[in-house]
Amino acid sequence: MVSTMALLPSFIRPTRMAKRSARPAGRPSGDETVLDAPDDRLSPALVLAGRGEFDAAARLLAVTRATAAWENHDRYVRRLAAFAGSRSEWFESWRAAAPRDPGLLLVRAQLAVDRAWPSPARAELLREVSPLITAAARADDRDPVPWRIALDHARGSRAGHRYFEELWEAAVRRAPHHYGCHVAALRYLAASCCVQWGDTPHTPRASHRECFDFADQAAQDAPADALVQALPARAAFGCLTDGCGPEIPRPRLDAAADRALALSARFPAADPWPAEIRNKLLYVLMRLDRWEDARDQLCLIGPYATSFPWERFSDDPLGHFLRLREHLLTPGPRPVPAGLMTRPPVPLGGLGGHDRAGDH
């Protein structure tokens, strides 16, 4: 929301199957659990892209743009860019056939950011991507997704706060409650908790408390069914994993989890659309020792594991999820092994390890 600006001073990956495991009553077995499953609109586009055909992907983005379905639009852009990163034939055909297609320009900008992100020279490489983001933004002035990409880009290139606030204002003017833009802003703010950059050497750091203030205000201002209701839980996840900054009081962490639980309950069980929100919430609940809530969330997750957040802790995110699930569903009190809930140290600011531009 614009009112929160003052709080600012950041074919899909193939579905993988796990080893066969014992099946808990009423839960899917490991062999039935999938990673990063697409929904029923994205899946056909990915299948056709795998055959080298781009028309379905182009239509999907055109429809979500025309109907202002910005949350879907953003998710599909990120997933199509991830697929283009591993299977580029369909994408190159799209570029040749329709170089000014707004959907093509969005996927191209997202792909360029994704490719630059893992490099030690990230900040320098990202500066070369700016014209692609500008082109995507100019293709449709209503679309907030180019501005979400610009916000991620600003975090990766360590842009100063003044510039970031200009991007933020432009993003929320187009979609005041867009989840992806809010996560990008939250991650920029969280990064400045741990590593300092900005307009002057004396730019003050943000704190985890400021991250929570930002997330709570955004959630309070949003409709009850908006994905932004999960933003405080995203702030809690950052606080529990970043390893820097002052601790947040336990009641505030619980309140963030409660808000995300209420949002999760609005979606059908075993649905790929809210799967990433539910997987992040599962981690937060386990870190807070809220075991019954965590088990209930497992029922809602069903067979839909997601790479994020589990790739933050393992190179085998599906296997990691299944090990956590098995531990959680085993009768009797047992402490969670530390290796299942923490990650190896990364450079300050979360700029290394498994950190990605699109971890929303």
Side-chain angles (χ1 to χ4, degrees), residues 89-118:
E89 298 88 351
W90 66 279
F91 178 70
E92 294 303 329
S93 296
W94 191 7
R95 284 186 60 186
R100 297 183 181 179
D101 183 328
L104 178 281
L105 293 173
L106 264 181
V107 174
R108 186 182 182 192
Q110 181 68 65
L111 178 59
V113 171
D114 291 346
R115 284 175 169 167
W117 206 264

Side-chain angles (χ1 to χ4, degrees), residues 179 183 186-187 230-239 280 284 308 312 359-360:
Y179 180 67
V183 172
L186 181 67
R187 297 198 73 198
L231 197 67
R234 185 65 176 79
F237 176 85
C239 178
K280 284 195 293 284
V284 172
F308 188 75
R312 296 283 294 270
D359 286 340
H360 292 159

Side-chain angles (χ1 to χ4, degrees), residues 157-235:
S157 58
R158 300 191 177 189
H161 297 314
R162 188 176 299 115
Y163 174 68
F164 190 89
E165 287 172 359
E166 292 174 358
L167 296 176
W168 170 245
E169 184 176 24
V172 296
R173 188 166 61 245
R174 287 161 174 81
H177 309 298
H178 184 253
Y179 180 67
C181 289
H182 280 77
V183 172
L186 181 67
R187 297 198 73 198
Y188 178 93
L189 191 57
S192 68
C193 291
C194 299
V195 60
Q196 192 169 356
W197 73 84
D199 306 312
T200 73
H202 303 293
T203 301
R205 296 184 185 186
S207 70
H208 281 297
R209 192 175 302 277
E210 287 175 282
C211 292
F212 263 86
D213 289 345
F214 172 78
D216 283 342
Q217 185 65 59
Q220 289 167 17
D221 291 345
D225 60 351
L227 292 183
V228 170
Q229 296 298 332
L231 197 67
R234 185 65 176 79

Side-chain angles (χ1 to χ4, degrees), residues 247-320:
E247 291 188 0
I248 297 298
R250 172 62 188 256
R252 197 165 191 187
L253 294 171
D254 281 322
D258 290 341
R259 190 182 285 273
L261 283 167
L263 177 66
S264 176
R266 289 177 170 270
F267 293 100
D271 185 342
W273 167 249
E276 188 167 297
I277 286 173
R278 286 170 169 165
N279 276 252
K280 284 195 293 284
L281 176 57
L282 176 63
Y283 176 87
V284 172
L285 292 169
M286 293 184 74
R287 284 292 301 269
L288 296 178
D289 297 331
R290 293 177 57 167
W291 305 114
E292 288 307 312
D293 286 334
R295 292 184 185 98
D296 290 344
Q297 207 58 212
L298 271 179
C299 292
L300 294 176
I301 288 170
Y304 297 116
T306 57
S307 290
F308 188 75
W310 312 118
E311 66 184 359
R312 296 283 294 270
F313 314 106
S314 171
D315 291 331
D316 176 16
L318 180 55
H320 193 85

